Amino acid sequence: MLSTGLIVLVASLYLGGLFLLAFVSDRRAERGAASFVSSPIVYTLSLAVYCTSWTFYGAVGSAARSGLEYLTIYLGPTFVLMGWWFLLRKLVRISKAQKITSIADFISARYGKSALLSALVTVIALIGVTPYIALQLKAVAASFDALGAAQTWVPHTVGDRGIFADTGFWVAVCMATFVILFGTRNVGADERHPGVVAAIAFESIVKLLSLGAIAVFAVYGLNDGVRDLFDTAKWHQGVKNLYAFSEGFEPRWLATTFLSAAAIICLPRQFQVAVVENSEERHLATAAWLFPLYMLLVSLFVIPIAISGMVHLPETDNPDLYVLKVPLSAGQGGLALLAFIGGLSAATSMVIVASIALSIMISNHLVTPLLLRLPFFTGPGSGDFSRLLIIVRRLSIVAILTLGFSYYHLTGTTNPLASIGLISFAGVAQFLPALIGGIYWEGGTKAGATTGLIAGFLLWIYTLLVPSFASSGWAFIGLVQTGPFSIELLKPDALFGLSEWDPLVHGLFWSFSINVLCYVLVSLSTSQLPLERLQSILFVDAFNSRRQGVESGLQRSATSEDLFQLTQRILGRDRAARIFQSYARKQGRADQLPTPDPRFIAYIERQLASGVGAASARTLVSRVAKGESISLEAVIDILDETQEAIRYSHELERKSHELEETAEQLRQANEQLTRLDKMKDDFLSRVSHELRTPMTSIRSFSEILVSQQGLDQQQSNRFLGIIQDESVRLTRLLDEILDLSQMEDGQANWDFQDVDALAITADAIETMRGLASDRNVELINNLGDGSLPVIADADRLKQVFINLISNAIKYNNSDAPKVWIELVETDARDGAAIRVRDNGPGIPPEDRSALFSKFSRGWNARSREQAGAGLGLAISKQIMQNLGGDLYLVHDNDAGACFVVVMKKAAAEAAADISPKSLQA
């Protein structure tokens, strides 16, 4: 045993250190200095407030009694944190937008800012958490007595002690002092408490290190490693059960895993640290892996301590105190003192945060609504209400700890720590249907949530809390033994004959099932008020920015002066001034009074909710804002969801179709660019070849003439003739390239005259008859008699027809090749057209779009050996456009290629606008 004075001194120094850490953190935050409190690691460590005395002491006791069942307490929170993207992220997003202060405020705000509902949640939370606070006081008092008292602690003697002789009383006093000093500094309950968060994070480290130190001592101090630890304990039946599953374990495992998962959200303290104290949504991503790691380490430390306690300590020892008794039994007083500090950290962190959360709930949802009914506090002459709120919260903290101490001192329960903790978990789990349904189901109503909470809470009291009182011998003993009015079918621990069920599974089944059933059925059979409907949209569609603006549909009017006076009375003058100045700048106003439009009034209501809760804030704003109603536009936006969904679906479909069309156009353009690039390379290669061939001939024959002096005159003349022909060919090719370039640049010379198009075409036909005869192609002139006066350059126009007829002859590979030259009737008054068509292979579809470019050779795939440089059609197209006409390819010709030459009649004053469709006949 250690001396009481030493224990008190070490505990006092530790708590003093916490006070100092909290004080420094608060001061740094007030100065605006960068703080480690805002880091994701500190946020994760603050979540470890979940690990209370139950976890520090009770997990070892639970492992010794029930084996691996203790793991379920860690599995539930792990699942919730790993799935943070779906639940916790949404809770944080909603809470920041709505200025939520607590879980009671959250549920109340979702269901139309109901004051009745928030008060109901507060009462349930207070009753449900009181046994949990008593558990912490019990654990600290028990560990203190076990560590320093002369006699072994006997649970049932707690109530026999005087209050001032009870260790739990002084623990409660210290905790109340800490919470009052650092948990009620600001009236804004949605504001963070940096001092408290820093202290809680530090205590989480202390808990882990102290529990780890005991575990290491159990493995390497009492044994020679892990193998020796298990070998030494082979004979012990309790150790064998430690890593085995008991028969029929599944229902209780499922129940405890579910309760622990619900607790990480529904416990007021967990909602406070996980949601209200969250400063950055992205911190959840770090907590998603770091918090499960913390849980894993704690669960691993439990096993060696439990084994050592079962092996080295008497069977009569309380397993919940193995953490202390294992080092004490080995004479390690310093290590036992470290374990005591770890347990003190676990208890104080829980009580501190739970007291803050519950005091805010009591102040905002029980006391403030009553005070707001009194003109003394809200009349024109009333002063700063913010000071009164802080006083109410401090008194609430004293009341909470007094209630927890009274439960602990009066009941003196002998129930294990884990049993007490699970009863509290089942109580706060009653919030889960209204909470989850509220953020995922717009149809959930206030009536459904209220009915479900009341029914589930009453059954929780009847099936779990009442048997707990009876087992401690404090009350309800006869009721539990025989049932009400001696009706055994209604016994609290065997309701409707379910006597074979585990007590926890039994109580959770009835309370939670009735809760969910009432919530769903009543919600389906009742309707929502307009404000409730509006809030359901804001909560369910928290990530939909389009629907978040619907709150401005609440049409209210008020003066800026009235709103400012109201805000400063609740939040204080300084904070009110900052709020109004910030919003005025947002509206672009030079003064400090924003325009009091509906959106600004809704914003002020949210700011007030940070101090007094959503329900009370709505009551206060309704006193200065007149004409509260939902506008027609908001009603349409809220109620006509089907049409909105249809419009949204159509919009998505339209955009999807546009994206598909754009993608197809890009694909076609890419293919076209690829073809053009290929044609360019091919063109350059062919032009290079065409230029190289005559130049090679000229060079070769010139060298012969220069080097061989004995050539006769006939050979010299033949060689000179070849040189001349190749020079003409080279010149013609260069002229074509230059001619096309000049036409494209508008620099070509044109000789416009009134000419006969039929005569020019007939002349071109006769010019090509020799080529046609050589290739056995029949030229058919269907131009008829008469004349066709047009405005053109005769030579250029003839060049076009020669090129078209030449192509039709050269690339026609049919068995009986024919070429038709025909006059076409058009609808254009001032236009004339002549068609050149053949029965050859035609133009491949993939080549038609680029046919008239200077890189194109539409027939080359079939007649590559006859292909030219690909300039003829490009030149012809340029000629006709410069002549005021055009050159088209008719795409739907049955066989072969069909080109139409459009010309401007001599009598016309402007070029004809003739489309290819008018020339199909």
Side-chain angles (χ1 to χ4, degrees):
M1 300 294 178
L2 300 178
S3 68
T4 303
L6 177 61
I7 299 173
V8 171
L9 176 62
V10 172
S12 299
L13 290 175
Y14 175 73
L15 292 177
L18 286 182
F19 273 76
L20 180 61
L21 175 61
F23 178 79
V24 172
S25 299
D26 270 349
R27 287 296 185 185
R28 288 178 57 84
E30 290 173 359
R31 294 197 303 267
S35 175
F36 67 93
V37 178
S38 299
S39 73
I41 295 177
V42 172
Y43 171 73
T44 305
L45 290 173
S46 70
L47 293 178
V49 71
Y50 174 82
C51 299
T52 64
S53 296
W54 170 13
T55 303
F56 194 84
Y57 296 120
V60 176
S62 178
R65 295 184 185 95
S66 306
L68 293 177
E69 182 185 311
Y70 83 95
L71 289 174
T72 58
I73 304 305
Y74 307 109
L75 289 176
T78 298
F79 294 151
V80 174
L81 264 296
M82 291 177 67
W84 67 276
W85 186 263
F86 304 101
L87 180 58
L88 284 176
R89 184 176 70 108
K90 193 168 189 179
L91 292 176
V92 170
R93 181 71 61 87
I94 294 171
S95 297
K96 297 307 176 188
Q98 297 288 318
K99 297 292 183 180
I100 297 299
T101 62
S102 64
I103 189 170
D105 195 28
F106 190 98
I107 295 175
S108 167
R110 161 58 178 86
Y111 297 99
K113 303 181 180 180
S114 168
L116 173 62
L117 193 54
S118 63
L120 176 62
V121 174
T122 300
V123 171
I124 294 175
L126 185 60
I127 296 175
V129 174
T130 294
Y132 212 162
I133 294 177
L135 181 153
Q136 312 307 314
L137 299 178
K138 170 188 175 180
V140 175
S143 61
F144 179 86
D145 292 343
L147 192 61
Q151 71 278 359
T152 304
W153 175 69
V154 182
H156 67 269
T157 63
V158 172
D160 299 333
R161 302 179 184 182
I163 291 178
F164 296 106
D166 194 333
T167 306
F169 171 77
W170 297 107
V171 173
V173 170
C174 292
M175 292 179 179
T177 304
F178 185 95
V179 179
I180 288 173
L181 289 178
F182 297 101
T184 58
R185 298 170 64 88
N186 300 309
V187 69
D190 69 315
E191 293 185 354
R192 303 188 68 216
H193 304 83
V196 173
V197 171
I200 299 306
F202 178 74
E203 288 190 305
S204 295
I205 297 174
V206 172
K207 287 184 291 188
L208 189 64
L209 292 179
S210 58
L211 193 65
I214 306 300
V216 171
F217 172 74
V219 174
Y220 296 102
L222 298 177
N223 300 277
D224 190 20
V226 176
R227 182 187 296 273
D228 184 51
L229 172 70
F230 283 93
D231 289 342
T232 305
K234 282 182 178 179
W235 58 272
H236 199 286
Q237 183 59 40
V239 175
K240 294 179 181 178
N241 295 334
L242 181 61
Y243 43 87
F245 296 100
S246 59
E247 184 178 354
F249 72 94
E250 294 91 344
R252 186 171 174 88
W253 269 61
L254 289 175
T256 52
T257 301
F258 169 77
L259 286 177
S260 61
I264 201 70
I265 305 167
C266 297
L267 279 171
R269 73 171 191 273
Q270 293 303 141
F271 192 91
Q272 180 74 27
V273 295
V275 179
V276 178
E277 298 289 344
N278 179 279
S279 60
E280 293 286 345
E281 201 174 285
R282 57 186 175 85
H283 289 174
L284 290 168
T286 301
W289 63 267
L290 188 56
F291 185 75
L293 178 61
Y294 188 98
M295 294 285 98
L296 175 63
L297 292 175
V298 171
S299 63
L300 290 177
F301 295 155
V302 166
I303 297 176
I305 301 174
I307 294 176
S308 298
M310 287 186 286
V311 172
H312 296 284
L313 297 177
E315 292 185 5
T316 57
D317 272 6
N318 183 1
D320 288 335
L321 296 178
Y322 280 175
V323 175
L324 283 172
K325 292 294 189 67
V326 166
L328 275 178
S329 65
Q332 298 292 325
L335 196 58
L337 189 59
L338 178 62
F340 170 76
I341 295 300
L344 182 64
S345 297
T348 54
S349 61
M350 179 271 165
V351 175
I352 288 169
V353 181
S355 299
I356 292 174
L358 287 174
S359 68
I360 291 171
M361 293 166 67
I362 292 172
S363 168
N364 290 354
H365 308 301
L366 294 182
V367 179
T368 299
L370 296 177
L371 296 179
L372 292 179
R373 296 176 181 271
L374 303 177
F376 176 79
F377 294 104
T378 57
S382 60
D384 191 347
F385 194 73
S386 61
R387 296 179 181 177
L388 179 61
L389 284 176
I390 293 178
I391 294 174
V392 170
R393 285 176 189 161
R394 289 174 176 172
L395 293 175
S396 299
I397 290 169
V398 175
I400 291 164
L401 286 169
T402 300
L403 188 62
F405 172 74
S406 300
Y407 182 94
Y408 148 76
H409 188 78
L410 294 176
T411 60
T413 177
T414 58
N415 288 340
L417 298 181
S419 176
I420 301 173
L422 287 172
I423 290 174
S424 287
F425 276 17
V428 297
Q430 304 306 317
F431 301 147
L432 198 62
L435 187 72
I436 300 299
I439 63 175
Y440 289 110
W441 181 33
E442 288 187 11
T445 67
K446 178 180 69 175
T450 305
T451 306
L453 277 171
I454 292 175
F457 176 61
L458 292 177
L459 276 171
W460 170 76
I461 292 177
Y462 187 71
T463 58
L464 285 172
L465 200 60
V466 167
S468 173
F469 287 146
S471 65
S472 67
W474 188 53
F476 307 115
I477 298 174
L479 178 65
V480 172
Q481 290 178 349
T482 62
F485 309 106
S486 298
I487 303 175
E488 292 195 2
L489 199 63
L490 299 180
K491 290 172 60 175
D493 56 355
L495 198 59
F496 299 113
L498 297 178
S499 58
E500 302 298 326
W501 285 24
D502 177 88
L504 177 67
V505 176
H506 172 268
L508 177 63
F509 169 77
W510 285 114
S511 61
F512 197 78
S513 298
I514 295 301
N515 188 335
V516 173
L517 188 65
C518 290
Y519 173 68
V520 173
L521 293 181
V522 175
S523 293
L524 291 175
S525 59
T526 56
S527 58
Q528 296 175 325
L529 295 174
L531 181 60
E532 187 181 348
R533 186 72 175 120
L534 184 146
Q535 289 296 106
S536 70
I537 288 176
L538 295 178
F539 276 61
V540 175
D541 280 352
F543 299 108
N544 188 341
S545 58
R546 295 188 306 112
R547 302 194 75 179
Q548 293 306 297
V550 74
E551 61 182 333
S552 62
L554 193 63
Q555 299 298 305
R556 294 177 287 185
S557 62
T559 65
S560 297
E561 291 78 6
D562 288 343
L563 290 172
F564 182 78
Q565 290 179 6
L566 174 62
T567 305
Q568 74 170 348
R569 280 211 305 268
I570 302 301
L571 302 179
R573 185 174 184 85
D574 292 340
R575 186 178 178 190
R578 290 196 303 270
I579 291 172
F580 273 68
Q581 289 173 4
S582 174
Y583 205 92
R585 288 194 298 269
K586 182 179 178 181
Q587 288 184 338
R589 294 177 61 92
D591 55 10
Q592 298 181 6
L593 292 179
T595 303
D597 55 20
R599 190 178 296 275
F600 176 64
I601 296 174
Y603 175 75
I604 291 298
E605 183 175 321
R606 288 196 302 272
Q607 298 301 316
L608 293 177
S610 71
V612 296
S616 297
R618 180 171 180 267
T619 300
L620 287 169
V621 171
S622 65
R623 294 182 178 181
V624 298
K626 306 301 180 183
E628 180 174 307
S629 63
I630 302 293
S631 68
L632 176 61
E633 292 78 6
V635 171
I636 294 174
D637 192 29
I638 293 172
L639 299 181
D640 199 9
E641 296 176 28
T642 302
Q643 292 300 320
E644 181 183 358
I646 292 174
R647 290 195 302 270
Y648 187 59
S649 176
H650 287 171
E651 182 69 14
L652 287 177
E653 184 178 353
R654 184 183 65 81
K655 290 186 177 298
S656 176
H657 183 66
E658 290 178 354
L659 288 174
E660 290 177 358
E661 288 184 343
T662 302
E664 178 63 22
Q665 292 173 358
L666 289 173
R667 186 187 63 79
Q668 293 177 356
N670 184 61
E671 292 178 353
Q672 177 71 2
L673 288 173
T674 302
R675 287 197 300 270
L676 289 174
D677 187 65
K678 184 177 181 302
M679 286 189 293
K680 179 199 68 174
D681 293 341
D682 199 12
F683 167 76
L684 293 175
S685 175
R686 183 164 295 278
V687 167
S688 175
H689 173 74
E690 293 292 338
L691 293 174
R692 187 182 297 111
T693 300
M695 290 180 67
T696 300
S697 298
I698 293 172
R699 179 180 177 182
S700 299
F701 286 107
S702 298
E703 289 178 350
I704 293 174
L705 290 173
V706 171
S707 61
Q708 297 184 18
Q709 300 297 327
L711 291 176
D712 55 29
Q713 187 63 36
Q714 183 178 0
Q715 286 180 318
S716 297
N717 291 339
R718 186 170 67 85
F719 290 164
L720 289 172
I722 294 174
I723 291 174
Q724 182 181 17
D725 292 341
E726 293 301 318
S727 299
V728 171
R729 177 183 172 189
L730 179 61
T731 302
R732 183 172 64 251
L733 181 59
L734 293 174
D735 287 343
E736 286 180 350
I737 297 175
L738 179 62
D739 195 21
L740 179 59
S741 177
Q742 288 177 342
M743 282 189 286
E744 288 177 340
D745 294 340
Q747 298 178 359
N749 295 321
W750 300 92
D751 182 15
F752 289 102
Q753 297 179 7
D754 289 348
V755 297
D756 184 359
L758 296 185
I760 292 173
T761 307
D763 190 17
I765 294 172
E766 294 304 319
T767 302
M768 300 309 300
R769 284 201 181 275
L771 178 63
S773 176
D774 291 341
R775 296 177 179 269
N776 296 319
V777 176
E778 181 181 359
L779 288 181
I780 302 173
N781 185 345
N782 288 334
L783 297 175
D785 299 330
S787 63
L788 180 61
V790 296
I791 299 176
D793 184 320
D795 292 337
R796 296 285 192 179
L797 184 60
K798 181 179 179 180
Q799 180 183 353
V800 171
F801 283 111
I802 288 176
N803 183 65
L804 293 175
I805 297 171
S806 172
N807 286 342
I809 294 173
K810 289 190 293 183
Y811 303 120
N812 194 331
N813 57 4
S814 64
D815 295 336
K818 296 181 180 180
V819 178
W820 292 269
I821 300 92
E822 304 164 332
L823 183 64
V824 180
E825 294 184 2
T826 69
D827 296 331
R829 177 180 56 82
D830 51 0
I834 295 176
R835 178 167 56 199
V836 178
R837 62 185 179 92
D838 61 69
N839 62 346
I843 309 297
E846 62 272 16
D847 293 333
R848 293 174 182 173
S849 60
L851 184 63
F852 295 102
S853 69
K854 57 185 176 183
F855 308 128
S856 176
R857 301 190 313 278
W859 290 280
N860 287 358
R862 292 183 175 88
S863 305
R864 191 169 299 276
E865 72 284 354
Q866 301 176 19
L871 294 175
L873 289 177
I875 292 174
S876 299
K877 180 79 170 180
Q878 285 292 329
I879 290 174
M880 294 312 305
Q881 288 178 345
N882 279 277
L883 293 179
D886 211 340
L887 175 62
Y888 297 107
L889 172 69
V890 178
H891 296 313
D892 61 351
N893 196 46
D894 293 338
C898 178
F899 291 90
V900 176
V901 179
V902 179
M903 299 160 287
K904 183 174 66 174
K905 289 183 178 179
E909 297 179 357
D913 182 14
I914 305 173
S915 66
K917 292 183 179 180
S918 66
L919 306 172
Q920 304 299 314

